[in-house]
Amino acid sequence: MSPIKCSSVLEAIGHTPLIELGRVGRDLPARIWAKAEFMNPGGSMKDRIALKMIEDAEQAGKLKPGDTVLEETSGNTGIGLAMVCAIKGYPFIAVMSEGNSPERRQILKALGAKVELVPQAEGGKPGQVTGDDLALVEKRAGELQQELGAFWVNQFHNPSNCAGHYETTAQEIWEQMEGRIDYFVDVVGTSGTFTGIATALKEKDPKIQCWVVEPASAPVLAGKPVTNPKHVLQGSSYAKIPALWKPEVCDGYITVTDGEAIRTSRRLASEEGLLVGYTAGGNVAAALRMAGWCDPGANIVTILCDSGMKYLSTDLFK
């Protein structure tokens, strides 16, 4: 259990509830369970990896007192890092695309971060950050790292990203489900969450099936054509294979449309009282479809990635 008293907000990271979605999943033969990662203090699952990546860098001597921390982010990892850096006293610079929701940059600034906004690629649309947009963000982050000599967290290539979920999120899910898990289903962005959790769960029980959720228009991990890299699943599915991806822990692929993700997010709010973002809606939409065809009584676990409070300026709840 999470401690009642914390010496800092960092001790409040993790130990999130696992909630059965008995209303949106009613009348389906399987049961759906959602890990409420939006209940981390920074509002997303990325708080876990922010703390892990910073503490591992400190222990390895890569990050020293007074150093500036730099990261490319869609917002959530940056928010987690801003929170961790505020406690530990590191100046923090978040490099992010103008296409990400404005609430994220507002939260970053409130936490004391400097935000470097990068214009979207030609034809870019707010709320739909593509791999091309991400490449521009990565390029700018590299330039700033050279200019400032900052410590670049580099979540897309940092093994501590996977380790954070392997060591915490997966262990919590296993304990909360008492090992009774049939399917784990989740989107892939950096692949830290999916790779970390799937690796740990399969070590405990190789029979657990781990499925990836991808946008219907960009199922690149499934080896299918990318017809449109623009989608609403912010922070995930950049139409490229991430460096941390481990295909050997993936048993299958399932796609969702933007409409399915949006409708499911709205259902989660109005029927389950869970105000979450687009990507959480995509995860649950995939789990709902899976619950319709898997064995009766099967347990499906997925992730509620972040809070819907970060999307109030978008069309998600309008």
Side-chain angles (χ1 to χ4, degrees):
M1 293 294 292
S2 180
I4 296 173
K5 292 182 179 179
C6 301
S7 62
S8 80
V9 71
L10 302 186
E11 292 182 7
I13 294 173
H15 304 284
T16 56
L18 190 69
I19 300 170
E20 183 172 9
L21 305 181
R23 292 159 186 80
V24 297
R26 58 185 174 270
D27 301 325
L28 290 171
R31 301 174 73 182
I32 300 172
W33 304 83
K35 186 70 165 155
E37 287 297 280
F38 70 94
M39 294 182 71
N40 278 298
S44 87
M45 62 188 181
K46 299 292 190 176
D47 289 0
R48 296 178 186 264
I49 68 167
L51 180 60
K52 178 66 173 173
M53 292 187 296
I54 290 296
E55 291 192 337
D56 281 359
E58 290 174 330
Q59 292 170 12
K62 297 177 181 177
L63 182 59
K64 302 177 180 63
D67 286 352
T68 295
V69 175
L70 169 75
E71 180 60 333
E72 59 176 294
T73 176
S74 67
N76 282 328
T77 301
I79 290 167
L81 286 167
M83 181 175 64
V84 173
C85 289
I87 294 296
K88 291 179 172 286
Y90 300 114
F92 175 59
I93 302 172
V95 188
M96 64 187 301
S97 172
E98 287 183 345
N100 291 119
S101 64
E103 288 89 344
R104 300 187 187 204
R105 71 190 73 152
Q106 291 169 333
I107 295 169
L108 281 163
K109 291 177 180 178
L111 288 168
K114 177 182 177 183
V115 179
E116 180 86 6
L117 285 179
V118 180
Q120 290 186 267
E122 185 176 354
K125 181 179 178 181
Q128 297 179 348
V129 177
T130 68
D132 289 340
D133 296 327
L134 186 65
L136 293 174
V137 172
E138 186 171 6
K139 178 176 181 291
R140 182 57 182 147
E143 292 171 351
L144 283 171
Q145 196 279 329
Q146 291 295 317
E147 292 171 17
L148 303 174
F151 171 69
W152 185 0
V153 178
N154 204 0
Q155 61 176 314
F156 280 87
H157 299 271
N158 192 327
S160 296
N161 180 348
C162 298
H165 290 293
Y166 177 94
E167 295 173 6
T168 67
T169 324
Q171 309 308 320
E172 291 172 24
I173 289 171
W174 179 259
E175 291 174 7
Q176 288 166 321
M177 292 297 297
E178 299 179 328
R180 294 191 290 270
I181 306 165
D182 297 290
Y183 295 89
F184 170 67
V185 58
D186 190 26
V187 298
V188 168
T190 65
S191 196
T193 309
F194 183 87
T195 296
I197 294 175
T199 300
L201 292 181
K202 283 184 171 292
E203 286 178 359
K204 293 179 179 296
D205 183 355
K207 297 190 298 296
I208 297 173
Q209 291 203 26
C210 300
W211 284 53
V212 161
V213 181
E214 295 192 276
S217 64
V220 65
L221 295 177
K224 297 181 180 179
V226 176
T227 57
N228 185 358
K230 300 174 183 178
H231 57 81
V232 299
L233 304 184
Q234 292 194 27
S236 71
S237 306
Y238 294 110
K240 69 174 186 177
I241 298 175
L244 300 176
W245 170 241
K246 285 176 59 177
E248 62 268 28
V249 297
C250 177
D251 296 290
Y253 307 87
I254 189 166
T255 60
V256 296
T257 65
D258 283 0
E260 287 175 312
I262 292 168
R263 287 191 295 273
T264 306
S265 291
R266 292 172 178 172
R267 287 191 66 195
L268 286 168
S270 62
E271 297 177 41
E272 300 281 1
L274 297 168
L275 190 69
V276 294
Y278 290 102
T279 307
N283 273 345
V284 175
L288 286 168
R289 192 181 312 150
M290 182 178 285
W293 53 254
C294 65
D295 293 338
N299 287 312
I300 303 169
V301 177
T302 192
I303 305 291
L304 300 180
C305 317
D306 69 356
S307 169
M309 296 292 287
K310 298 174 180 177
Y311 303 92
L312 296 181
S313 67
T314 72
D315 293 334
L316 181 55
F317 298 112
K318 293 181 180 177

